């Protein structure tokens, strides 16, 4: 399995470029300065904003215009933040069967099979760890259950 996108891999503004104030996260990749109310965007916000203005742009265009790397954009698509609208496919492949997909890591068939497998493993683990009366009881044979001191 591939590791999720880490905070270090995404460029996030922390201090304002104009007044050096603290940037506060407002949502959807947007940050605002506490002091001068300047607006900046992290990598996700840059890509999202560019796509709102240029629907149907490809990864190369997005990367060259926003400065966000191809890898970061690809990871955002794998995290299902964006979806590929081009019907030709080929940019993303299912990690199990290799079919062309529009977002995420697996095609719908492999994703369902993966989740069924995980659920089954959890059921088996729960069943094996379950111990009650008569099942997996470990007692000392012949010992008294309670003793009374006189």
């Amino acid at each position: 399995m591939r590791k999720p996108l880490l905070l270090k891999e995404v460029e996030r503004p922390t201090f304002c470029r104009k007044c050096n104030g603290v940037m506060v996260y407002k949502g959807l990749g947007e940050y605002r300065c506490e002091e001068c109310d300047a607006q900046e965007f992290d990598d996700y916000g840059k890509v999202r904003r560019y796509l709102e203005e240029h629907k149907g742009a490809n990864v190369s265009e997005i990367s060259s215009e926003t400065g966000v790397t191809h890898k970061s954009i690809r990871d955002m698509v794998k995290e299902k933040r964006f979806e590929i609208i081009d019907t030709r496919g080929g940019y993303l492949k299912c990690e199990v069967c290799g079919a062309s997909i529009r977002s995420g890591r697996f095609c719908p068939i492999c994703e369902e099979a993966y989740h069924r497998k995980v659920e089954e493993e959890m059921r088996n683990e729960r069943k094996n760890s379950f111990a009650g009366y008569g099942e997996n009881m470990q007692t000392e044979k012949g010992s008294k259950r309670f003793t009374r001191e006189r």
Side-chain angles (χ1 to χ4, degrees), residues 46-82:
K46 291 175 189 174
V47 172
R48 185 176 184 276
R49 188 171 178 208
Y50 185 80
L51 285 173
E52 285 175 352
E53 296 170 4
H54 304 92
K55 295 186 185 330
N58 64 30
V59 176
S60 297
E61 293 172 22
I62 298 167
S63 180
S64 65
E65 294 296 320
T66 62
V68 179
T69 65
H70 283 258
K71 182 186 181 313
S72 293
I73 296 169
R74 185 181 189 99
D75 288 342
M76 288 181 217
V77 172
K78 282 190 171 193
E79 290 174 355
K80 295 187 177 183
R81 291 182 180 200
F82 300 109

PDB file of all heavy atoms in Angstrom, residues 46-82:
ATOM      1  N   LYS A  46      -4.558  26.018  -4.523  1.00  0.00           N
ATOM      2  CA  LYS A  46      -4.087  26.517  -5.813  1.00  0.00           C
ATOM      3  C   LYS A  46      -4.678  25.702  -6.961  1.00  0.00           C
ATOM      4  O   LYS A  46      -5.173  26.259  -7.942  1.00  0.00           O
ATOM      5  CB  LYS A  46      -2.561  26.461  -5.888  1.00  0.00           C
ATOM      6  CG  LYS A  46      -1.857  27.441  -4.984  1.00  0.00           C
ATOM      7  CD  LYS A  46      -0.358  27.213  -5.039  1.00  0.00           C
ATOM      8  CE  LYS A  46       0.378  28.029  -3.998  1.00  0.00           C
ATOM      9  NZ  LYS A  46       1.814  27.703  -3.972  1.00  0.00           N
ATOM     10  N   VAL A  47      -4.625  24.376  -6.817  1.00  0.00           N
ATOM     11  CA  VAL A  47      -5.144  23.496  -7.874  1.00  0.00           C
ATOM     12  C   VAL A  47      -6.652  23.662  -7.995  1.00  0.00           C
ATOM     13  O   VAL A  47      -7.190  23.790  -9.096  1.00  0.00           O
ATOM     14  CB  VAL A  47      -4.765  22.023  -7.595  1.00  0.00           C
ATOM     15  CG1 VAL A  47      -5.455  21.083  -8.580  1.00  0.00           C
ATOM     16  CG2 VAL A  47      -3.264  21.832  -7.655  1.00  0.00           C
ATOM     17  N   ARG A  48      -7.352  23.684  -6.884  1.00  0.00           N
ATOM     18  CA  ARG A  48      -8.803  23.822  -6.877  1.00  0.00           C
ATOM     19  C   ARG A  48      -9.218  25.137  -7.539  1.00  0.00           C
ATOM     20  O   ARG A  48     -10.121  25.172  -8.372  1.00  0.00           O
ATOM     21  CB  ARG A  48      -9.315  23.757  -5.443  1.00  0.00           C
ATOM     22  CG  ARG A  48     -10.799  23.771  -5.320  1.00  0.00           C
ATOM     23  CD  ARG A  48     -11.202  23.599  -3.855  1.00  0.00           C
ATOM     24  NE  ARG A  48     -12.620  23.530  -3.741  1.00  0.00           N
ATOM     25  CZ  ARG A  48     -13.419  24.609  -3.685  1.00  0.00           C
ATOM     26  NH1 ARG A  48     -12.894  25.805  -3.721  1.00  0.00           N
ATOM     27  NH2 ARG A  48     -14.716  24.478  -3.600  1.00  0.00           N
ATOM     28  N   ARG A  49      -8.563  26.210  -7.164  1.00  0.00           N
ATOM     29  CA  ARG A  49      -8.885  27.530  -7.712  1.00  0.00           C
ATOM     30  C   ARG A  49      -8.613  27.569  -9.224  1.00  0.00           C
ATOM     31  O   ARG A  49      -9.419  28.104  -9.989  1.00  0.00           O
ATOM     32  CB  ARG A  49      -8.047  28.573  -6.985  1.00  0.00           C
ATOM     33  CG  ARG A  49      -8.422  29.978  -7.319  1.00  0.00           C
ATOM     34  CD  ARG A  49      -7.703  30.926  -6.388  1.00  0.00           C
ATOM     35  NE  ARG A  49      -8.032  32.296  -6.757  1.00  0.00           N
ATOM     36  CZ  ARG A  49      -7.247  33.315  -6.556  1.00  0.00           C
ATOM     37  NH1 ARG A  49      -6.087  33.157  -5.964  1.00  0.00           N
ATOM     38  NH2 ARG A  49      -7.604  34.519  -6.903  1.00  0.00           N
ATOM     39  N   TYR A  50      -7.486  26.998  -9.648  1.00  0.00           N
ATOM     40  CA  TYR A  50      -7.159  26.976 -11.073  1.00  0.00           C
ATOM     41  C   TYR A  50      -8.201  26.181 -11.853  1.00  0.00           C
ATOM     42  O   TYR A  50      -8.633  26.596 -12.938  1.00  0.00           O
ATOM     43  CB  TYR A  50      -5.765  26.400 -11.298  1.00  0.00           C
ATOM     44  CG  TYR A  50      -5.328  26.475 -12.733  1.00  0.00           C
ATOM     45  CD1 TYR A  50      -4.830  27.659 -13.265  1.00  0.00           C
ATOM     46  CD2 TYR A  50      -5.439  25.380 -13.578  1.00  0.00           C
ATOM     47  CE1 TYR A  50      -4.464  27.749 -14.605  1.00  0.00           C
ATOM     48  CE2 TYR A  50      -5.071  25.457 -14.907  1.00  0.00           C
ATOM     49  CZ  TYR A  50      -4.580  26.636 -15.411  1.00  0.00           C
ATOM     50  OH  TYR A  50      -4.221  26.722 -16.730  1.00  0.00           O
ATOM     51  N   LEU A  51      -8.636  25.029 -11.300  1.00  0.00           N
ATOM     52  CA  LEU A  51      -9.616  24.199 -11.992  1.00  0.00           C
ATOM     53  C   LEU A  51     -10.988  24.857 -12.054  1.00  0.00           C
ATOM     54  O   LEU A  51     -11.753  24.614 -12.992  1.00  0.00           O
ATOM     55  CB  LEU A  51      -9.713  22.823 -11.330  1.00  0.00           C
ATOM     56  CG  LEU A  51      -8.554  21.884 -11.621  1.00  0.00           C
ATOM     57  CD1 LEU A  51      -8.654  20.625 -10.786  1.00  0.00           C
ATOM     58  CD2 LEU A  51      -8.480  21.552 -13.099  1.00  0.00           C
ATOM     59  N   GLU A  52     -11.318  25.675 -11.068  1.00  0.00           N
ATOM     60  CA  GLU A  52     -12.594  26.399 -11.124  1.00  0.00           C
ATOM     61  C   GLU A  52     -12.604  27.384 -12.288  1.00  0.00           C
ATOM     62  O   GLU A  52     -13.628  27.590 -12.923  1.00  0.00           O
ATOM     63  CB  GLU A  52     -12.839  27.146  -9.812  1.00  0.00           C
ATOM     64  CG  GLU A  52     -13.243  26.246  -8.675  1.00  0.00           C
ATOM     65  CD  GLU A  52     -13.369  26.969  -7.340  1.00  0.00           C
ATOM     66  OE1 GLU A  52     -12.991  28.162  -7.254  1.00  0.00           O
ATOM     67  OE2 GLU A  52     -13.818  26.330  -6.384  1.00  0.00           O
ATOM     68  N   GLU A  53     -11.453  27.994 -12.560  1.00  0.00           N
ATOM     69  CA  GLU A  53     -11.356  28.977 -13.633  1.00  0.00           C
ATOM     70  C   GLU A  53     -11.084  28.334 -14.996  1.00  0.00           C
ATOM     71  O   GLU A  53     -11.439  28.896 -16.025  1.00  0.00           O
ATOM     72  CB  GLU A  53     -10.244  29.983 -13.320  1.00  0.00           C
ATOM     73  CG  GLU A  53     -10.521  30.813 -12.086  1.00  0.00           C
ATOM     74  CD  GLU A  53      -9.323  31.628 -11.629  1.00  0.00           C
ATOM     75  OE1 GLU A  53      -8.271  31.603 -12.322  1.00  0.00           O
ATOM     76  OE2 GLU A  53      -9.429  32.272 -10.573  1.00  0.00           O
ATOM     77  N   HIS A  54     -10.407  27.159 -15.001  1.00  0.00           N
ATOM     78  CA  HIS A  54     -10.020  26.496 -16.251  1.00  0.00           C
ATOM     79  C   HIS A  54     -10.482  25.038 -16.229  1.00  0.00           C
ATOM     80  O   HIS A  54      -9.683  24.120 -16.041  1.00  0.00           O
ATOM     81  CB  HIS A  54      -8.496  26.549 -16.441  1.00  0.00           C
ATOM     82  CG  HIS A  54      -7.947  27.931 -16.418  1.00  0.00           C
ATOM     83  ND1 HIS A  54      -7.496  28.527 -15.266  1.00  0.00           N
ATOM     84  CD2 HIS A  54      -7.799  28.837 -17.404  1.00  0.00           C
ATOM     85  CE1 HIS A  54      -7.078  29.742 -15.540  1.00  0.00           C
ATOM     86  NE2 HIS A  54      -7.249  29.965 -16.831  1.00  0.00           N
ATOM     87  N   LYS A  55     -11.767  24.833 -16.422  1.00  0.00           N
ATOM     88  CA  LYS A  55     -12.319  23.471 -16.395  1.00  0.00           C
ATOM     89  C   LYS A  55     -11.706  22.638 -17.520  1.00  0.00           C
ATOM     90  O   LYS A  55     -11.533  23.107 -18.628  1.00  0.00           O
ATOM     91  CB  LYS A  55     -13.827  23.509 -16.527  1.00  0.00           C
ATOM     92  CG  LYS A  55     -14.496  24.173 -15.343  1.00  0.00           C
ATOM     93  CD  LYS A  55     -15.981  24.061 -15.422  1.00  0.00           C
ATOM     94  CE  LYS A  55     -16.749  24.776 -14.359  1.00  0.00           C
ATOM     95  NZ  LYS A  55     -16.203  24.952 -13.092  1.00  0.00           N
ATOM     96  N   GLY A  56     -11.347  21.402 -17.198  1.00  0.00           N
ATOM     97  CA  GLY A  56     -10.798  20.500 -18.202  1.00  0.00           C
ATOM     98  C   GLY A  56      -9.300  20.632 -18.420  1.00  0.00           C
ATOM     99  O   GLY A  56      -8.762  20.024 -19.335  1.00  0.00           O
ATOM    100  N   ALA A  57      -8.621  21.407 -17.585  1.00  0.00           N
ATOM    101  CA  ALA A  57      -7.163  21.555 -17.731  1.00  0.00           C
ATOM    102  C   ALA A  57      -6.482  20.236 -17.407  1.00  0.00           C
ATOM    103  O   ALA A  57      -6.939  19.481 -16.547  1.00  0.00           O
ATOM    104  CB  ALA A  57      -6.655  22.652 -16.804  1.00  0.00           C
ATOM    105  N   ASN A  58      -5.370  19.965 -18.093  1.00  0.00           N
ATOM    106  CA  ASN A  58      -4.641  18.728 -17.808  1.00  0.00           C
ATOM    107  C   ASN A  58      -3.576  18.980 -16.729  1.00  0.00           C
ATOM    108  O   ASN A  58      -3.322  20.124 -16.340  1.00  0.00           O
ATOM    109  CB  ASN A  58      -4.038  18.121 -19.083  1.00  0.00           C
ATOM    110  CG  ASN A  58      -2.986  19.005 -19.711  1.00  0.00           C
ATOM    111  OD1 ASN A  58      -2.290  19.760 -19.035  1.00  0.00           O
ATOM    112  ND2 ASN A  58      -2.864  18.905 -21.024  1.00  0.00           N
ATOM    113  N   VAL A  59      -2.958  17.913 -16.280  1.00  0.00           N
ATOM    114  CA  VAL A  59      -2.005  17.992 -15.165  1.00  0.00           C
ATOM    115  C   VAL A  59      -0.821  18.887 -15.493  1.00  0.00           C
ATOM    116  O   VAL A  59      -0.366  19.655 -14.652  1.00  0.00           O
ATOM    117  CB  VAL A  59      -1.529  16.569 -14.763  1.00  0.00           C
ATOM    118  CG1 VAL A  59      -0.483  16.644 -13.674  1.00  0.00           C
ATOM    119  CG2 VAL A  59      -2.695  15.735 -14.300  1.00  0.00           C
ATOM    120  N   SER A  60      -0.330  18.815 -16.726  1.00  0.00           N
ATOM    121  CA  SER A  60       0.810  19.647 -17.113  1.00  0.00           C
ATOM    122  C   SER A  60       0.470  21.132 -17.037  1.00  0.00           C
ATOM    123  O   SER A  60       1.257  21.934 -16.541  1.00  0.00           O
ATOM    124  CB  SER A  60       1.268  19.307 -18.530  1.00  0.00           C
ATOM    125  OG  SER A  60       1.723  17.988 -18.583  1.00  0.00           O
ATOM    126  N   GLU A  61      -0.708  21.503 -17.534  1.00  0.00           N
ATOM    127  CA  GLU A  61      -1.140  22.900 -17.463  1.00  0.00           C
ATOM    128  C   GLU A  61      -1.273  23.353 -16.019  1.00  0.00           C
ATOM    129  O   GLU A  61      -0.812  24.442 -15.655  1.00  0.00           O
ATOM    130  CB  GLU A  61      -2.490  23.079 -18.161  1.00  0.00           C
ATOM    131  CG  GLU A  61      -2.480  22.886 -19.652  1.00  0.00           C
ATOM    132  CD  GLU A  61      -3.893  22.886 -20.214  1.00  0.00           C
ATOM    133  OE1 GLU A  61      -4.823  23.427 -19.572  1.00  0.00           O
ATOM    134  OE2 GLU A  61      -4.078  22.335 -21.303  1.00  0.00           O
ATOM    135  N   ILE A  62      -1.918  22.532 -15.210  1.00  0.00           N
ATOM    136  CA  ILE A  62      -2.135  22.879 -13.803  1.00  0.00           C
ATOM    137  C   ILE A  62      -0.800  23.072 -13.106  1.00  0.00           C
ATOM    138  O   ILE A  62      -0.586  24.051 -12.391  1.00  0.00           O
ATOM    139  CB  ILE A  62      -2.960  21.784 -13.085  1.00  0.00           C
ATOM    140  CG1 ILE A  62      -4.343  21.663 -13.711  1.00  0.00           C
ATOM    141  CG2 ILE A  62      -3.072  22.081 -11.602  1.00  0.00           C
ATOM    142  CD1 ILE A  62      -5.099  20.424 -13.288  1.00  0.00           C
ATOM    143  N   SER A  63       0.118  22.140 -13.321  1.00  0.00           N
ATOM    144  CA  SER A  63       1.420  22.192 -12.671  1.00  0.00           C
ATOM    145  C   SER A  63       2.206  23.429 -13.087  1.00  0.00           C
ATOM    146  O   SER A  63       2.789  24.117 -12.242  1.00  0.00           O
ATOM    147  CB  SER A  63       2.211  20.928 -12.985  1.00  0.00           C
ATOM    148  OG  SER A  63       3.465  20.957 -12.360  1.00  0.00           O
ATOM    149  N   SER A  64       2.226  23.737 -14.383  1.00  0.00           N
ATOM    150  CA  SER A  64       3.015  24.886 -14.846  1.00  0.00           C
ATOM    151  C   SER A  64       2.413  26.211 -14.392  1.00  0.00           C
ATOM    152  O   SER A  64       3.137  27.154 -14.091  1.00  0.00           O
ATOM    153  CB  SER A  64       3.165  24.854 -16.363  1.00  0.00           C
ATOM    154  OG  SER A  64       1.910  25.010 -16.987  1.00  0.00           O
ATOM    155  N   GLU A  65       1.095  26.295 -14.294  1.00  0.00           N
ATOM    156  CA  GLU A  65       0.444  27.548 -13.903  1.00  0.00           C
ATOM    157  C   GLU A  65       0.421  27.778 -12.393  1.00  0.00           C
ATOM    158  O   GLU A  65       0.447  28.912 -11.937  1.00  0.00           O
ATOM    159  CB  GLU A  65      -0.989  27.602 -14.452  1.00  0.00           C
ATOM    160  CG  GLU A  65      -1.061  27.675 -15.956  1.00  0.00           C
ATOM    161  CD  GLU A  65      -0.456  28.964 -16.509  1.00  0.00           C
ATOM    162  OE1 GLU A  65      -0.666  30.037 -15.912  1.00  0.00           O
ATOM    163  OE2 GLU A  65       0.222  28.884 -17.545  1.00  0.00           O
ATOM    164  N   THR A  66       0.344  26.695 -11.613  1.00  0.00           N
ATOM    165  CA  THR A  66       0.218  26.845 -10.151  1.00  0.00           C
ATOM    166  C   THR A  66       1.529  26.618  -9.410  1.00  0.00           C
ATOM    167  O   THR A  66       1.660  27.033  -8.264  1.00  0.00           O
ATOM    168  CB  THR A  66      -0.821  25.861  -9.585  1.00  0.00           C
ATOM    169  OG1 THR A  66      -0.384  24.518  -9.839  1.00  0.00           O
ATOM    170  CG2 THR A  66      -2.190  26.095 -10.198  1.00  0.00           C
ATOM    171  N   GLY A  67       2.477  25.911 -10.034  1.00  0.00           N
ATOM    172  CA  GLY A  67       3.724  25.584  -9.353  1.00  0.00           C
ATOM    173  C   GLY A  67       3.630  24.338  -8.484  1.00  0.00           C
ATOM    174  O   GLY A  67       4.580  23.974  -7.801  1.00  0.00           O
ATOM    175  N   VAL A  68       2.497  23.658  -8.502  1.00  0.00           N
ATOM    176  CA  VAL A  68       2.304  22.428  -7.734  1.00  0.00           C
ATOM    177  C   VAL A  68       2.862  21.266  -8.555  1.00  0.00           C
ATOM    178  O   VAL A  68       2.632  21.180  -9.763  1.00  0.00           O
ATOM    179  CB  VAL A  68       0.808  22.204  -7.428  1.00  0.00           C
ATOM    180  CG1 VAL A  68       0.588  20.920  -6.655  1.00  0.00           C
ATOM    181  CG2 VAL A  68       0.251  23.390  -6.651  1.00  0.00           C
ATOM    182  N   THR A  69       3.608  20.373  -7.920  1.00  0.00           N
ATOM    183  CA  THR A  69       4.247  19.270  -8.642  1.00  0.00           C
ATOM    184  C   THR A  69       3.232  18.253  -9.168  1.00  0.00           C
ATOM    185  O   THR A  69       2.135  18.125  -8.628  1.00  0.00           O
ATOM    186  CB  THR A  69       5.257  18.528  -7.742  1.00  0.00           C
ATOM    187  OG1 THR A  69       4.530  17.913  -6.674  1.00  0.00           O
ATOM    188  CG2 THR A  69       6.306  19.473  -7.195  1.00  0.00           C
ATOM    189  N   HIS A  70       3.635  17.523 -10.208  1.00  0.00           N
ATOM    190  CA  HIS A  70       2.807  16.448 -10.760  1.00  0.00           C
ATOM    191  C   HIS A  70       2.491  15.424  -9.678  1.00  0.00           C
ATOM    192  O   HIS A  70       1.366  14.927  -9.606  1.00  0.00           O
ATOM    193  CB  HIS A  70       3.523  15.752 -11.925  1.00  0.00           C
ATOM    194  CG  HIS A  70       3.503  16.526 -13.197  1.00  0.00           C
ATOM    195  ND1 HIS A  70       2.658  16.233 -14.227  1.00  0.00           N
ATOM    196  CD2 HIS A  70       4.229  17.598 -13.605  1.00  0.00           C
ATOM    197  CE1 HIS A  70       2.854  17.064 -15.226  1.00  0.00           C
ATOM    198  NE2 HIS A  70       3.816  17.917 -14.872  1.00  0.00           N
ATOM    199  N   LYS A  71       3.493  15.087  -8.866  1.00  0.00           N
ATOM    200  CA  LYS A  71       3.302  14.087  -7.803  1.00  0.00           C
ATOM    201  C   LYS A  71       2.224  14.528  -6.824  1.00  0.00           C
ATOM    202  O   LYS A  71       1.362  13.746  -6.432  1.00  0.00           O
ATOM    203  CB  LYS A  71       4.610  13.832  -7.066  1.00  0.00           C
ATOM    204  CG  LYS A  71       4.499  12.775  -5.979  1.00  0.00           C
ATOM    205  CD  LYS A  71       5.780  12.667  -5.179  1.00  0.00           C
ATOM    206  CE  LYS A  71       5.737  11.620  -4.109  1.00  0.00           C
ATOM    207  NZ  LYS A  71       4.561  11.611  -3.264  1.00  0.00           N
ATOM    208  N   SER A  72       2.246  15.794  -6.412  1.00  0.00           N
ATOM    209  CA  SER A  72       1.237  16.296  -5.477  1.00  0.00           C
ATOM    210  C   SER A  72      -0.155  16.241  -6.091  1.00  0.00           C
ATOM    211  O   SER A  72      -1.121  15.852  -5.430  1.00  0.00           O
ATOM    212  CB  SER A  72       1.554  17.725  -5.054  1.00  0.00           C
ATOM    213  OG  SER A  72       2.723  17.770  -4.285  1.00  0.00           O
ATOM    214  N   ILE A  73      -0.258  16.603  -7.365  1.00  0.00           N
ATOM    215  CA  ILE A  73      -1.553  16.558  -8.040  1.00  0.00           C
ATOM    216  C   ILE A  73      -2.039  15.119  -8.149  1.00  0.00           C
ATOM    217  O   ILE A  73      -3.201  14.816  -7.878  1.00  0.00           O
ATOM    218  CB  ILE A  73      -1.467  17.225  -9.430  1.00  0.00           C
ATOM    219  CG1 ILE A  73      -1.152  18.716  -9.280  1.00  0.00           C
ATOM    220  CG2 ILE A  73      -2.763  17.019 -10.217  1.00  0.00           C
ATOM    221  CD1 ILE A  73      -0.787  19.410 -10.569  1.00  0.00           C
ATOM    222  N   ARG A  74      -1.133  14.219  -8.510  1.00  0.00           N
ATOM    223  CA  ARG A  74      -1.492  12.795  -8.622  1.00  0.00           C
ATOM    224  C   ARG A  74      -1.959  12.251  -7.267  1.00  0.00           C
ATOM    225  O   ARG A  74      -2.946  11.525  -7.183  1.00  0.00           O
ATOM    226  CB  ARG A  74      -0.299  12.001  -9.137  1.00  0.00           C
ATOM    227  CG  ARG A  74      -0.598  10.551  -9.390  1.00  0.00           C
ATOM    228  CD  ARG A  74       0.668   9.839  -9.893  1.00  0.00           C
ATOM    229  NE  ARG A  74       0.365   8.531 -10.342  1.00  0.00           N
ATOM    230  CZ  ARG A  74       0.182   8.172 -11.604  1.00  0.00           C
ATOM    231  NH1 ARG A  74       0.263   9.078 -12.544  1.00  0.00           N
ATOM    232  NH2 ARG A  74      -0.102   6.939 -11.927  1.00  0.00           N
ATOM    233  N   ASP A  75      -1.259  12.627  -6.186  1.00  0.00           N
ATOM    234  CA  ASP A  75      -1.658  12.180  -4.849  1.00  0.00           C
ATOM    235  C   ASP A  75      -3.035  12.730  -4.463  1.00  0.00           C
ATOM    236  O   ASP A  75      -3.827  12.037  -3.828  1.00  0.00           O
ATOM    237  CB  ASP A  75      -0.619  12.589  -3.811  1.00  0.00           C
ATOM    238  CG  ASP A  75       0.662  11.770  -3.909  1.00  0.00           C
ATOM    239  OD1 ASP A  75       0.622  10.685  -4.532  1.00  0.00           O
ATOM    240  OD2 ASP A  75       1.694  12.206  -3.371  1.00  0.00           O
ATOM    241  N   MET A  76      -3.337  13.968  -4.860  1.00  0.00           N
ATOM    242  CA  MET A  76      -4.658  14.544  -4.579  1.00  0.00           C
ATOM    243  C   MET A  76      -5.753  13.781  -5.320  1.00  0.00           C
ATOM    244  O   MET A  76      -6.837  13.565  -4.781  1.00  0.00           O
ATOM    245  CB  MET A  76      -4.685  16.023  -4.970  1.00  0.00           C
ATOM    246  CG  MET A  76      -3.902  16.914  -4.046  1.00  0.00           C
ATOM    247  SD  MET A  76      -4.025  18.635  -4.587  1.00  0.00           S
ATOM    248  CE  MET A  76      -2.383  19.218  -4.205  1.00  0.00           C
ATOM    249  N   VAL A  77      -5.457  13.350  -6.551  1.00  0.00           N
ATOM    250  CA  VAL A  77      -6.430  12.560  -7.314  1.00  0.00           C
ATOM    251  C   VAL A  77      -6.607  11.195  -6.652  1.00  0.00           C
ATOM    252  O   VAL A  77      -7.730  10.695  -6.525  1.00  0.00           O
ATOM    253  CB  VAL A  77      -5.995  12.414  -8.785  1.00  0.00           C
ATOM    254  CG1 VAL A  77      -6.897  11.448  -9.532  1.00  0.00           C
ATOM    255  CG2 VAL A  77      -5.983  13.766  -9.473  1.00  0.00           C
ATOM    256  N   LYS A  78      -5.509  10.605  -6.178  1.00  0.00           N
ATOM    257  CA  LYS A  78      -5.599   9.302  -5.507  1.00  0.00           C
ATOM    258  C   LYS A  78      -6.366   9.403  -4.186  1.00  0.00           C
ATOM    259  O   LYS A  78      -6.991   8.445  -3.761  1.00  0.00           O
ATOM    260  CB  LYS A  78      -4.211   8.728  -5.262  1.00  0.00           C
ATOM    261  CG  LYS A  78      -3.607   8.133  -6.496  1.00  0.00           C
ATOM    262  CD  LYS A  78      -2.372   7.367  -6.170  1.00  0.00           C
ATOM    263  CE  LYS A  78      -1.920   6.592  -7.386  1.00  0.00           C
ATOM    264  NZ  LYS A  78      -0.918   5.599  -7.069  1.00  0.00           N
ATOM    265  N   GLU A  79      -6.301  10.562  -3.540  1.00  0.00           N
ATOM    266  CA  GLU A  79      -7.051  10.778  -2.297  1.00  0.00           C
ATOM    267  C   GLU A  79      -8.503  11.154  -2.564  1.00  0.00           C
ATOM    268  O   GLU A  79      -9.260  11.445  -1.648  1.00  0.00           O
ATOM    269  CB  GLU A  79      -6.399  11.895  -1.478  1.00  0.00           C
ATOM    270  CG  GLU A  79      -5.074  11.532  -0.895  1.00  0.00           C
ATOM    271  CD  GLU A  79      -4.399  12.711  -0.213  1.00  0.00           C
ATOM    272  OE1 GLU A  79      -4.931  13.842  -0.273  1.00  0.00           O
ATOM    273  OE2 GLU A  79      -3.345  12.492   0.386  1.00  0.00           O
ATOM    274  N   LYS A  80      -8.900  11.180  -3.840  1.00  0.00           N
ATOM    275  CA  LYS A  80     -10.247  11.511  -4.296  1.00  0.00           C
ATOM    276  C   LYS A  80     -10.623  12.956  -4.006  1.00  0.00           C
ATOM    277  O   LYS A  80     -11.778  13.283  -3.814  1.00  0.00           O
ATOM    278  CB  LYS A  80     -11.281  10.546  -3.701  1.00  0.00           C
ATOM    279  CG  LYS A  80     -11.097   9.128  -4.177  1.00  0.00           C
ATOM    280  CD  LYS A  80     -12.205   8.246  -3.708  1.00  0.00           C
ATOM    281  CE  LYS A  80     -12.008   6.847  -4.271  1.00  0.00           C
ATOM    282  NZ  LYS A  80     -13.098   5.959  -3.909  1.00  0.00           N
ATOM    283  N   ARG A  81      -9.635  13.844  -3.982  1.00  0.00           N
ATOM    284  CA  ARG A  81      -9.936  15.273  -3.859  1.00  0.00           C
ATOM    285  C   ARG A  81     -10.391  15.827  -5.204  1.00  0.00           C
ATOM    286  O   ARG A  81     -11.142  16.780  -5.262  1.00  0.00           O
ATOM    287  CB  ARG A  81      -8.709  16.038  -3.389  1.00  0.00           C
ATOM    288  CG  ARG A  81      -8.317  15.732  -1.971  1.00  0.00           C
ATOM    289  CD  ARG A  81      -7.137  16.570  -1.595  1.00  0.00           C
ATOM    290  NE  ARG A  81      -6.706  16.327  -0.240  1.00  0.00           N
ATOM    291  CZ  ARG A  81      -5.962  17.171   0.438  1.00  0.00           C
ATOM    292  NH1 ARG A  81      -5.545  18.295  -0.107  1.00  0.00           N
ATOM    293  NH2 ARG A  81      -5.601  16.908   1.667  1.00  0.00           N
ATOM    294  N   PHE A  82      -9.873  15.243  -6.293  1.00  0.00           N
ATOM    295  CA  PHE A  82     -10.232  15.629  -7.650  1.00  0.00           C
ATOM    296  C   PHE A  82     -10.503  14.368  -8.443  1.00  0.00           C
ATOM    297  O   PHE A  82     -10.091  13.279  -8.068  1.00  0.00           O
ATOM    298  CB  PHE A  82      -9.091  16.408  -8.327  1.00  0.00           C
ATOM    299  CG  PHE A  82      -8.715  17.670  -7.617  1.00  0.00           C
ATOM    300  CD1 PHE A  82      -7.518  17.758  -6.941  1.00  0.00           C
ATOM    301  CD2 PHE A  82      -9.558  18.759  -7.631  1.00  0.00           C
ATOM    302  CE1 PHE A  82      -7.163  18.913  -6.282  1.00  0.00           C
ATOM    303  CE2 PHE A  82      -9.210  19.917  -6.973  1.00  0.00           C
ATOM    304  CZ  PHE A  82      -8.013  20.003  -6.299  1.00  0.00           C
TER     305      PHE A  82
END
